[in-house]
Amino acid sequence: MTAIRIARISDTPLDIAAHLAAVEDRAMGAVASFVGTVRDHDPEAAGTVVALEYSAHPDAEATLHDIALAAISTRRAAVAVSHRIGRLEVGDAAVVIAVATPHRDEAFTICREIIEAIKRELPVWKRQLTDNGAATWKGIGG
């Protein structure tokens, strides 16, 4: 059974265990996951990154759902995916993806397709804050 179990834009911390639990299915033999966290550096940053502030277009959640559906395509899979908005500190989870499929190759493939599409297509923007007071906006694909 193909299912989008979670496709959410959230202003609260992302629960990795809840995403894994959401894709549990006796018919699925593989689960692949991805957790994207805020890191303390960026090659383009003027200093050490201390936080990111994410904002989203009102249609972002629907777009996230569509991204997950497109990645699944005709394959059997269960997907749970969320993107965080608001202020995130270094180490906080910004994106969580869990994908369950009958076989491992499909789980890895779908998970990768989702994160790559999020980077290209999801209408979420981030403001990168550094320790020297600089703030840089990055849009889709950034």
Side-chain angles (χ1 to χ4, degrees):
M1 176 181 181
T2 298
I4 308 301
R5 309 271 172 87
I6 298 171
R8 186 177 304 137
I9 302 296
S10 176
D11 62 358
T12 60
L14 303 181
D15 184 340
I16 298 164
H19 285 72
L20 292 171
V23 300
E24 286 181 7
D25 190 314
R26 294 172 61 94
M28 305 297 184
V31 176
S33 62
F34 173 82
V35 179
T37 59
V38 176
R39 62 180 185 244
D40 69 356
H41 65 281
D42 181 330
E44 299 172 11
T48 301
V49 175
V50 295
L52 297 177
E53 294 176 348
Y54 286 97
S55 57
H57 187 277
D59 294 337
E61 198 164 270
T63 301
L64 189 59
H65 185 272
D66 292 345
I67 285 170
L69 276 179
I72 291 171
S73 185
T74 61
R75 299 172 282 208
R76 277 184 42 200
V79 172
V81 57
S82 295
H83 198 299
R84 177 103 182 263
I85 57 172
R87 184 182 173 101
L88 283 70
E89 304 297 325
V90 171
D92 288 345
V95 178
V96 173
I97 304 168
V99 178
T101 61
H103 304 285
R104 71 179 173 272
D105 186 52
E106 290 174 320
F108 283 119
T109 298
I110 292 168
C111 193
R112 180 175 197 83
E113 288 175 6
I114 291 170
I115 190 58
E116 296 301 333
I118 285 171
K119 295 298 282 183
R120 281 190 319 269
E121 303 167 25
L122 189 65
V124 169
W125 300 270
K126 66 182 174 185
R127 185 172 177 242
Q128 183 172 264
L129 308 172
T130 58
D131 62 351
N132 64 0
T136 306
W137 280 98
K138 296 189 172 203
I140 296 173

